[in-house]
Amino acid sequence: MFFIVEDDPAVADALESLLAGAGFSVRVFASAEDMIQQGAPSSEDTMIVDLGLPGMSGGELVRRLEKAGQNPKVIAISGKSSRTIARETEGLSHLKILRKPPSADWLEAITA
Amino acid sequence: MEPREDRRGGVSEARFESLLDTAADGIIVIDEAGRMLVFNKICEDLFGYTTEEVIGQSVNMIMPPEFATAHDEFMSNYHRTGEKRIIGIGREVSGRHRDGTVIPLELSIGEAKTSEGRQYIGVLRDLRPRRAVESRVSQLQAQVVHMTRLSAMDEMGAAMAHELNQPLTALLLYLQALARQIKVCHAEEKAPSEKLLGVLDKSVLEAERASHIVQRMRQMVEKRDPERSTIDLREVVNEALDLSEFVAQGATVTIRRVFGMNPIWVDADATQIQQIMLNLMRNALEVAKESEERWVKVSIGSDERSAVVSVTDSGTGFSEDVGKSLFKTFSTTKKSGMGLGLAISRAIAQNHGGDLLADPGGNGQGATFTLVLPMRRSMPAES
């Protein structure tokens, strides 16, 4: 199962189209808070999270899941500068980062 | 020189000569027939003739032909009617150098009644140095305006990049999804489904979203000559506030708009007015962000003569000292250089026949900046 946490509805919808079109099941959340409320992903799942979420940031969400012992595969997406991304993901080791806008096929990158 | 020496002599003549030659302006005396009686040193440099060459000659020889004809008419008209067109008033005229160069001149003329009839004393100043300075100043001003617009763009740049990223990301992902599904359709020899067309429509929307952002950005950054037109100040200010809100996204400052119901017509360059507003808003938002109540109030009003836009923030105002140096070009209370922006904003306002005023506030009151513009005299025809 794929969990998408992205506040921009178009980006979330496009990601969903891409994954659902390839036959995966997908859940979409507009904020970190929404996702926590509606059930967190397990280690079987993949969470695609925007780092620049309003409210709780993507980085915070990942830290929180780690603390709670939930370890889904994490793919962070961000449109910010590499320096900002480095700062926002400090201390988070096993996450893959995809930068917006995409420069390669994201389905391959996400499912790899 | 002969005629002059006939009339004058001794000490007063010597004094007169030295006065003429030390004068910083060109001095010419002509008689009723337009013949030159006096032509000082400055004039020699200005027109390229020596005094000897011009004395007794018609003053027309140092004018462009069209001025010479008009000058003859002016003089005979004046002699006939006594109607003064230039005497005692002064105006800008053109002179002509020996080599044909036309020289812009400021000319003032006095009249003297002498025993030999009327004489006219002309004092001329070469306007070229002033023109050069003026055009340099306006050139620099345009450059500085362009630069601040660019520096405002710099700040907007980050916000813009972020905004552009979203539609581009969505667009590319939609296209990736489409490409995959069309491949599947091909493999299975099926026609593309309605759903695919829906995704295609959505990707078009995202491309449009991106291009709107670029258009908005382009409107801000393009350097162009001031373009005056009759505008409703409310609309123009409103647009600038939308833009400020957009740039300050994430900052939780409330922008209160206190606008009336009726349009407020002014003749102005909409982009420049928006630039002033962006500047004022940038400063006000910065101050309001640090304040307790976090708001900026923008009100627009007018009376018969002027239209007024006031920007007040929820800060605590600034000290008298800061107030005094506020509009100096390089003074600023913060690193980003708001002094430059204010100085330019004021220059723009004054170019429009208006002004930009600051009320420092204090005692719990935030500062207020007020943009004043002259009202348009008559209403434009409703379209």
Side-chain angles (χ1 to χ4, degrees):
Chain A
M1 168 92 77
F2 286 88
F3 287 63
I4 298 171
V5 194
E6 163 67 64
D7 63 308
D8 187 290
V11 174
D13 185 65
L15 260 176
E16 188 183 4
S17 297
L18 187 66
L19 290 165
F24 296 104
S25 53
V26 182
R27 294 180 69 184
V28 179
F29 307 91
S31 71
E33 289 84 348
D34 277 3
M35 201 205 73
I36 290 168
Q37 239 177 23
Q38 294 175 37
S42 72
S43 52
E44 306 286 296
D45 300 319
T46 300
M47 179 174 78
I48 303 164
V49 59
D50 183 9
L51 286 176
L53 292 170
M56 184 190 296
S57 75
E60 275 174 69
L61 175 62
V62 176
R63 273 183 209 101
R64 218 173 130 139
L65 290 179
E66 265 181 19
K67 261 193 203 151
Q70 293 162 313
N71 293 306
K73 182 180 163 197
V74 176
I75 294 166
I77 56 178
S78 175
K80 296 195 179 147
S81 69
S82 51
R83 200 187 302 170
T84 310
I85 293 175
R87 198 178 57 231
E88 286 177 350
T89 58
E90 217 178 339
L92 301 173
S93 46
H94 13 258
L95 87 180
K96 181 169 193 164
I97 292 165
L98 293 178
R99 298 183 66 177
K100 297 185 203 175
S103 55
D105 191 310
W106 270 19
L107 186 66
E108 278 172 20
I110 289 167
T111 54
Chain B
M1 290 267 202
E2 292 308 314
R4 211 165 59 198
E5 273 163 18
D6 287 347
R7 287 191 303 277
R8 302 167 187 273
V11 180
S12 75
E13 170 69 8
R15 199 179 289 156
F16 182 63
E17 287 288 341
S18 95
L19 177 70
L20 284 178
D21 288 342
T22 49
D25 291 328
I27 297 174
I28 294 176
V29 178
I30 59 171
D31 64 12
E32 256 173 315
R35 284 187 299 254
M36 290 183 270
L37 307 176
V38 170
F39 192 82
N40 75 343
K41 267 216 158 59
I42 295 283
C43 286
E44 291 186 335
D45 295 337
L46 202 53
F47 295 103
Y49 296 103
T50 65
T51 305
E52 285 75 16
E53 283 174 301
V54 303
I55 292 302
Q57 301 286 328
S58 166
V59 72
N60 287 351
M61 74 185 282
I62 55 163
M63 298 180 186
E66 64 276 18
F67 266 83
T69 319
H71 187 252
D72 286 343
E73 278 167 26
F74 278 141
M75 285 202 40
S76 68
N77 187 55
Y78 174 61
H79 292 146
R80 210 172 51 244
T81 65
E83 185 195 342
K84 291 179 180 173
R85 293 280 186 82
I86 184 167
I87 295 169
I89 304 165
R91 62 167 58 170
E92 277 183 28
V93 298
S94 295
R96 191 177 67 157
H97 188 271
R98 182 173 212 152
D99 66 12
T101 309
V102 174
I103 311 157
L105 297 167
E106 187 180 85
L107 172 65
S108 43
I109 295 184
E111 183 181 6
K113 295 201 167 68
T114 71
S115 53
E116 293 115 76
R118 283 191 269 209
Q119 293 184 358
Y120 303 101
I121 300 120
V123 179
L124 331 143
R125 183 167 293 173
D126 188 351
L127 286 176
R128 281 171 301 185
R130 195 201 293 172
R131 288 278 160 79
V133 169
E134 280 169 0
S135 92
R136 183 84 189 117
V137 165
S138 78
Q139 225 175 40
L140 285 175
Q141 209 178 35
Q143 246 169 29
V144 170
V145 165
H146 182 53
M147 270 162 49
T148 42
R149 203 174 284 167
L150 285 181
S151 100
M153 277 308 301
D154 221 33
E155 286 169 36
M156 283 168 79
M160 288 291 182
H162 177 70
E163 279 295 295
L164 276 175
N165 253 332
Q166 306 291 26
L168 284 178
T169 301
L171 174 59
L172 285 163
L173 292 178
Y174 280 135
L175 292 177
Q176 290 179 4
L178 278 172
R180 282 177 181 279
Q181 286 170 40
I182 288 170
K183 265 183 216 152
V184 171
C185 289
H186 261 281
E188 296 176 1
E189 293 183 1
K190 284 193 299 191
S193 65
E194 283 291 315
K195 209 173 139 204
L196 281 192
L197 287 178
V199 175
L200 204 50
D201 284 342
K202 285 195 274 190
S203 46
V204 170
L205 283 180
E206 290 309 302
E208 283 171 355
R209 183 173 147 203
S211 74
H212 282 309
I213 293 167
V214 172
Q215 279 162 13
R216 244 189 321 176
M217 177 157 54
R218 193 184 297 142
Q219 277 169 9
M220 282 305 302
V221 78
E222 274 178 4
K223 180 182 171 184
R224 55 185 180 78
D225 294 331
E227 243 171 55
R228 297 276 169 99
S229 57
T230 303
I231 53 170
D232 180 358
L233 195 56
R234 298 175 314 160
E235 264 175 44
V236 170
V237 168
N238 208 31
E239 236 173 72
L241 297 188
D242 286 347
L243 207 59
S244 306
E245 232 165 18
F246 168 71
V247 172
Q249 56 182 287
T252 53
V253 175
T254 312
I255 299 180
R256 297 184 191 159
R257 303 174 199 217
V258 186
F259 295 4
M261 295 294 289
N262 297 320
I264 295 177
W265 301 112
V266 294
D267 284 329
D269 183 309
T271 307
Q272 290 193 335
I273 299 305
Q274 290 188 333
Q275 203 190 339
I276 297 180
M277 290 311 301
L278 287 177
N279 244 313
L280 295 181
M281 288 305 291
R282 188 147 49 111
N283 295 338
L285 287 169
E286 194 114 320
V287 173
K289 213 162 62 184
E290 306 299 325
S291 75
E292 209 168 291
E293 295 180 29
R294 301 162 75 83
W295 52 259
V296 172
K297 186 177 79 180
V298 180
S299 43
I300 304 185
S302 65
D303 58 24
E304 276 167 23
R305 298 175 61 191
S306 352
V308 173
V309 186
S310 300
V311 179
T312 307
D313 61 60
S314 57
T316 54
F318 40 77
S319 73
E320 211 170 297
D321 281 350
V322 174
K324 271 182 197 155
S325 61
L326 210 52
F327 288 97
K328 286 193 187 139
T329 312
F330 291 107
S331 84
T332 176
T333 56
K334 56 177 209 279
K335 282 180 194 153
S336 56
M338 86 174 191
L340 187 61
L342 279 179
I344 291 163
S345 296
R346 174 173 268 182
I348 293 172
Q350 289 173 347
N351 263 337
H352 279 81
D355 207 349
L356 181 62
L357 313 165
D359 172 357
N363 291 327
Q365 287 280 320
T368 299
F369 286 89
T370 303
L371 169 66
V372 184
L373 292 172
M375 285 291 276
R376 193 191 155 78
R377 295 250 174 264
S378 56
M379 296 292 176
E382 291 292 335
S383 53

